[in-house]
């Protein structure tokens, strides 16, 4: 009897230890005990095991993504490409920084289209000029955007210095930065990282991260326009994640930025060249036709035709182009005044060191752009009060200064 | 005979620890020079013990030398490992992912086994009880480590509970054997439990091996360096073997030995 008692005692002690272990484990927080799904482990491999606890948000973002749905795993994107800095991480060889080259392994067509756009090299060069780009990259970009990369660094960026430039300008303009692996740009500015989302890229707010503010106030203009109002009213019923190649007006009955500038709506070709449907250099001091003016305008009007009749579109374009001509005329007058003051010695040759030079800069860089963007995007208030009114007031200010007021007052 | 078997057990374990320590400290790229101490000690100690087996005069001295050194290496290792940031964070993750402060105690356990072997009559029941007691200590460590490591893994596979249950059984049966060394039924049951522990160890080794081979790391070595600890499950089989040696010694000593004290002195 004593013998069995000993075995019984041993079994009871063992059971107590196991129960204690179970209880300890059951009291642990859910965040520690939750497991990645089997599909996620298959797709994410070893990574998901740790990162479900170490950085759970990005794993969840990935789980919701099309990448996870299609079985694209972490190493497919994070793997090392030629020319990239290596990161040894718990037995895996990773790229320290991901670039467009990592995405281009699968999305080569989209990357090639992107390279032709002003989102590529010209975006970065708009701040820092051609530094960092190879001769081949510059030559390639100049085919499509003459003077887009072969240009001086932005005088405002030079005036403000490296700190505000790094934290400000370069954050958005990094969409076309030169990378150490020979590629250009980053796709994650629009698609985010682990979400890798087409729906995100179609949201106006995504474009509005950069296309906002006084110098390029597209998001504000969009939200004032009927397009923006309808989008906000109907966004819940829209299918922003619909496949690009089969996107219909049923999926997106109201256009967002991507619809007009990139999407393949109702059988049209989808493009990552955001310049492909743009016919004017609206951002320029004096706006001129882009090299592909005719084709670009035809492409954009094709999109307009999904919702509007041709006469209405032609009327709209004619009115918008009148606004361009009007703004060009005002800026030309203002430029003549400033040039005259430089010639007469009222202003010195150094750029942006006197208040009147900022007045002129604000005219074309803020008010002129706003009036033109407003005209093309249906933002009446931006055409008028934020655009033409400011242009008129500042032109008079310049005229007054040139006719007798204090230089640089 | 049990004494010789235990000495061979210590020699084999110290030698094997050289490989185990090399893998463990390679993760840390041997960042600090003291990390080489247990490695070189594990290479030298078995040689000294083997020499001792053939040199009767020097046998005890060499055993004591290796035993005390092993104890020192174990305690020093634990102190070094205590610098890990577990004590700052006090989380399960930091406990599992930082230097395991219990691991160096393997040296201390082997050192104590050698010292005890030389200080106690190997034919006595006390010697056998000490062997079982040290195996019990090992199983207690196994219980904590298998629970903590697999909890950190979120018990992803339910089979990860098997070593926890097995370690609990090992602890419980050996604890009762230490206190009731003359209970034959208990000893038979414990032998059965120890055989099960060996099977659990072998199965764990197979599970860890399979998991590591399935990893997507580019180099095979990395899969083992950063994957599931390949040798850890074999500790079950190893400690079960030590416990069986102790039980064997218990059954041998009981026939002619004086009445045992209930608890080791």
């Amino acid at each position: 009897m004593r013998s069995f008692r000993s075995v019984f005692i041993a079994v009871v002690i063992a059971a107590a230890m196991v129960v204690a272990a179970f209880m300890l484990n059951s009291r642990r927080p859910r965040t520690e005990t939750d497991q990645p799904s089997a599909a996620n482990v298959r797709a994410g491999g070893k990574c998901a095991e740790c990162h479900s606890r170490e950085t759970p948000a990005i794993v969840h973002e990935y789980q919701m993504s099309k990448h996870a749905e299609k079985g694209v795993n972490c190493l497919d994107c994070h793997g090392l490409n030629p020319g990239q800095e290596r990161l040894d991480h718990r037995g895996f060889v990773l790229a320290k920084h991901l670039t467009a080259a990592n995405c281009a392994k699968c999305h080569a067509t989209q990357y090639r289209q992107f390279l032709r756009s002003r989102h590529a090299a010209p975006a970065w060069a708009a701040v820092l000029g051609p530094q960092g780009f190879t001769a081949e990259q510059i030559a390639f970009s100049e085919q499509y955007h003459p003077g887009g990369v072969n240009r001086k660094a932005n005088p405002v960026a030079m005036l403000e210095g490296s700190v505000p430039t790094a934290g400000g300008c370069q954050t958005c303009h990094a969409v076309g930065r030169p990378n150490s692996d020979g590629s250009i740009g980053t796709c994650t500015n629009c698609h985010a990282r682990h979400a890798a989302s087409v729906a995100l890229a179609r949201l106006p707010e995504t474009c509005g991260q950069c296309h906002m503010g006084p110098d390029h106030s597209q998001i504000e203009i969009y939200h004032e326009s009927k397009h923006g109002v309808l989008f906000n009213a109907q966004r819940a019923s829209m299918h922003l994640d619909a496949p690009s190649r089969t996107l219909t007006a049923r999926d997106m009955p109201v256009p967002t930025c991507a619809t007009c500038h990139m999407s393949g709506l109702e059988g049209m070709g989808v493009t990552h060249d955001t310049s492909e449907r743009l016919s004017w250099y609206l951002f320029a001091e004096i706006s001129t036709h882009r090299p592909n003016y005719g084709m670009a305008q035809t492409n954009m009007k094709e999109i307009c035709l999904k919702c509007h009749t041709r006469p209405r579109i032609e009327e709209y374009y004619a009115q918008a182009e009148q606004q361009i001509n009007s703004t060009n005329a005002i800026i030309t007058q203002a430029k003549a005044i400033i040039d005259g003051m430089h010639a007469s010695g009222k202003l010195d040759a150094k750029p942006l060191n006197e208040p009147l030079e900022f007045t002129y800069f604000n005219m074309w860089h803020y008010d002129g752009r706003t009036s033109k963007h407003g005209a093309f995007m249906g933002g009446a208030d931006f055409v008028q009060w934020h655009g033409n009114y400011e242009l008129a007031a500042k032109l008079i200010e310049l005229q007054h200064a040139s006719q007798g007021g204090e230089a640089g007052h | 005979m049990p004494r010789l078997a235990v000495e061979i057990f210590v020699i084999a374990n110290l030698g094997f620890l050289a490989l185990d320590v090399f893998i463990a400290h390679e993760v840390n790229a041997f960042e600090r020079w003291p990390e080489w101490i247990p490695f070189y000690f594990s290479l030298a100690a078995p040689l000294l013990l083997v020499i001792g087996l053939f040199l009767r005069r020097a046998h005890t001295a060499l055993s004591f030398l290796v035993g005390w050194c092993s104890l020192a290496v174990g305690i020093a290792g634990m102190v070094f490992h205590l610098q890990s940031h577990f004590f700052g964070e006090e989380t399960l993750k930091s406990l599992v992912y930082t230097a395991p402060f219990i691991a160096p105690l393997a040296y201390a356990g082997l050192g104590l086994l050698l010292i005890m072997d030389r200080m106690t009559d190997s034919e006595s029941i006390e010697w056998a009880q000490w062997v079982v007691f040290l195996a019990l200590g090992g199983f207690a460590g196994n219980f904590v480590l298998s629970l903590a490591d697999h909890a950190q893994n979120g018990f992803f596979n339910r089979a990860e509970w098997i070593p926890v249950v097995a370690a609990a059984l090992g602890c419980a049966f050996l604890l009762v054997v230490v206190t009731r060394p003359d209970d034959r039924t208990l000893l038979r049951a414990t032998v059965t439990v120890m055989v099960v522990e060996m099977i659990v160890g072998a199965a764990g080794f197979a599970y860890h091996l399979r998991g590591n081979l399935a990893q997507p790391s580019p180099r095979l070595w990395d899969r083992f360096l950063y994957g599931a600890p390949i040798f850890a499950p074999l500790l079950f089989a190893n400690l079960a073997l030590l416990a069986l040696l102790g039980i064997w010694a218990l059954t041998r000593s009981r026939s002619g030995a004086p009445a045992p004290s209930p608890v080791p002195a």
Side-chain angles (χ1 to χ4, degrees):
Chain A
M1 190 62 195
R2 184 168 178 256
S3 301
F4 286 108
R5 194 168 62 195
S6 299
V7 173
F8 178 73
I9 290 169
V11 170
V12 167
I13 293 172
M17 289 173 77
V18 172
V19 168
F22 267 116
M23 286 177 67
L24 263 176
N25 192 55
S26 67
R27 300 294 290 266
R28 293 174 63 209
R30 221 181 114 241
T31 49
E32 287 187 21
T33 55
D34 266 2
Q35 283 299 315
S37 67
N40 189 29
V41 171
R42 269 197 298 278
K46 183 76 179 165
C47 312
E49 287 179 35
C50 294
H51 283 278
S52 292
R53 278 175 281 281
E54 304 264 335
T55 50
I58 61 167
V59 174
H60 186 59
E61 284 287 307
Y62 164 76
Q63 282 176 312
M64 294 189 296
S65 74
K66 278 276 191 289
H67 278 165
E69 199 178 291
K70 301 280 184 192
V72 175
N73 68 38
C74 307
L75 288 177
D76 288 334
C77 299
H78 286 271
L80 188 68
N81 269 6
Q84 291 182 333
E85 195 178 347
R86 171 192 174 111
L87 174 69
D88 288 301
H89 175 69
R90 292 185 179 274
F92 294 95
V93 179
L94 307 176
K96 193 166 185 178
H97 303 289
L98 299 195
T99 69
N102 298 78
C103 308
K105 283 191 295 188
C106 296
H107 303 284
T109 303
Q110 288 81 353
Y111 178 60
R112 280 197 298 274
Q113 292 168 346
F114 159 81
L115 284 181
R116 294 200 297 268
S117 76
R118 285 194 83 86
H119 269 172
W124 183 257
V127 180
L128 294 174
Q131 62 173 284
F133 292 109
T134 64
E136 290 78 15
Q137 287 172 332
I138 294 171
F140 177 85
S141 184
E142 287 289 315
Q143 293 175 73
Y144 301 98
H145 309 283
V149 182
N150 258 338
R151 55 174 289 172
K152 288 181 183 170
N154 191 296
V156 177
M158 297 303 103
L159 177 74
E160 291 178 355
S162 60
V163 173
T165 305
C169 315
Q170 287 180 30
T171 307
C172 279
H173 288 266
V175 70
R177 74 184 176 210
N179 300 314
S180 60
D181 57 11
S183 66
I184 290 176
T186 168
C187 308
T188 56
N189 269 22
C190 304
H191 290 279
R193 294 165 190 243
H194 298 91
S197 168
V198 67
L200 186 76
R202 285 177 179 152
L203 271 183
E205 285 77 10
T206 296
C207 308
Q209 291 175 108
C210 296
H211 293 273
M212 53 85 73
D215 54 341
H216 30 49
S217 45
Q218 287 96 337
I219 189 66
E220 292 93 336
I221 296 170
Y222 174 79
H223 282 302
E224 193 216 345
S225 75
K226 195 61 81 189
H227 288 166
V229 173
L230 279 170
F231 171 75
N232 285 317
Q234 299 178 7
R235 64 190 299 170
S237 62
M238 292 174 72
H239 302 134
L240 291 171
D241 59 347
S244 302
R245 287 177 188 163
T246 54
L247 189 72
T248 67
R250 280 181 170 276
D251 298 314
M252 293 185 69
V254 180
T256 66
C257 315
T259 315
C260 299
H261 293 282
M262 302 172 77
S263 294
L265 193 65
E266 299 284 354
M268 277 194 67
V270 61
T271 181
H272 275 67
D273 176 359
T274 47
S275 309
E276 203 173 288
R277 299 171 190 170
L278 297 178
S279 47
W280 287 85
Y281 286 125
L282 295 186
F283 61 83
E285 201 168 350
I286 305 292
S287 289
T288 56
H289 289 177
R290 290 178 184 245
N292 58 340
Y293 170 81
M295 179 61 77
Q297 203 162 95
T298 304
N299 288 340
M300 182 62 92
K301 287 175 179 173
E302 280 295 304
I303 285 288
C304 303
L305 278 167
K306 308 301 177 197
C307 304
H308 306 284
T309 59
R310 191 169 291 282
R312 174 73 187 118
I313 296 166
E314 297 299 340
E315 183 190 347
Y316 193 84
Y317 257 85
Q319 195 175 352
E321 292 193 334
Q322 280 175 12
Q323 179 58 53
I324 292 175
N325 293 332
S326 166
T327 303
N328 278 351
I330 295 169
I331 298 297
T332 303
Q333 280 186 63
K335 185 170 169 48
I337 293 169
I338 288 291
D339 288 347
M341 292 174 86
H342 278 298
S344 66
K346 282 188 172 179
L347 295 175
D348 64 31
K350 200 174 172 190
L352 293 177
N353 69 332
E354 286 162 294
L356 280 182
E357 289 175 320
F358 279 93
T359 303
Y360 172 68
F361 181 79
N362 292 344
M363 281 184 75
W364 74 264
H365 196 253
Y366 293 169
D367 315 322
R369 283 181 175 184
T370 303
S371 69
K372 293 178 282 188
H373 286 139
F376 271 95
M377 292 175 61
D381 200 57
F382 288 87
V383 174
Q384 166 53 27
W385 290 109
H386 298 294
N388 281 290
Y389 172 81
E390 292 288 342
L391 285 171
K394 284 168 188 161
L395 181 62
I396 288 171
E397 191 181 326
L398 287 183
Q399 287 168 339
H400 173 76
S402 71
Q403 286 164 7
E406 287 288 316
H409 80 116
Chain B
M1 278 298 285
R3 164 172 277 175
L4 179 63
V6 163
E7 287 183 359
I8 292 170
F9 175 88
V10 173
I11 290 168
N13 268 266
L14 281 173
F16 191 76
L17 278 173
L19 176 62
D20 199 36
V21 166
F22 182 81
I23 292 174
H25 289 181
E26 175 72 1
V27 175
N28 201 32
F30 285 91
E31 192 177 87
R32 298 183 178 89
W33 67 264
E35 292 180 40
W36 287 104
I37 293 175
F39 175 69
Y40 287 120
F41 175 74
S42 295
L43 292 179
L47 284 176
L48 289 173
L49 291 175
V50 169
I51 291 169
L53 287 178
F54 295 101
L55 296 176
R56 281 191 168 276
R57 285 183 187 172
H59 190 183
T60 300
L62 284 173
S63 291
F64 272 127
L65 174 68
V66 172
W68 285 110
C69 284
S70 188
L71 190 60
V73 167
I75 292 171
M78 190 183 75
V79 172
F80 277 123
H81 282 205
L82 284 178
Q83 293 174 355
S84 64
H85 59 254
F86 162 66
F87 293 93
E89 294 186 6
E90 293 181 349
T91 62
L92 187 60
K93 186 169 71 179
S94 60
L95 172 65
V96 176
Y97 279 130
T98 54
F101 61 91
I102 295 176
L105 292 182
Y107 285 98
L110 291 168
L112 284 173
L113 196 56
L114 272 178
I115 294 164
M116 182 280 300
D117 178 50
R118 289 292 120 189
M119 291 179 77
T120 314
D121 176 10
S122 65
E123 297 297 320
S124 70
I125 199 164
E126 186 189 350
W127 186 92
Q129 278 180 299
W130 270 116
V131 172
V132 173
F133 182 76
L134 288 169
L136 163 62
F139 271 108
N142 260 4
F143 178 75
V144 173
L145 289 179
S146 60
L147 178 62
D149 278 17
H150 292 153
Q152 176 55 35
N153 200 33
F155 286 97
F156 181 65
N157 190 325
R158 288 182 184 205
E160 290 176 31
W161 279 105
I162 293 174
V164 179
V165 175
L169 278 171
C171 282
F173 272 82
L174 293 179
L175 180 66
V176 183
V177 166
V178 169
T179 54
R180 298 182 173 188
D182 55 345
D183 189 329
R184 297 183 70 84
T185 306
L186 175 66
L187 291 182
R188 277 198 296 272
T190 307
V191 167
T192 307
V193 168
M194 290 304 123
V195 171
V196 170
E197 301 287 352
M198 288 178 158
I199 295 168
V200 167
F205 176 78
Y207 266 120
H208 284 204
L209 180 67
R210 193 180 67 171
N212 288 348
L213 289 177
Q215 273 191 43
S217 302
R219 291 193 306 157
L220 186 66
W221 173 246
D222 287 339
R223 299 182 197 179
F224 290 94
L225 200 60
Y226 298 103
I230 187 68
F231 298 127
L234 293 180
L235 200 54
F236 281 85
N238 192 45
L239 290 167
L241 179 63
L242 181 64
L244 288 175
L245 290 176
I247 292 168
W248 179 31
L250 271 180
T251 54
R252 277 169 57 94
S253 61
R254 196 172 44 233
S255 50
S261 57
V263 178

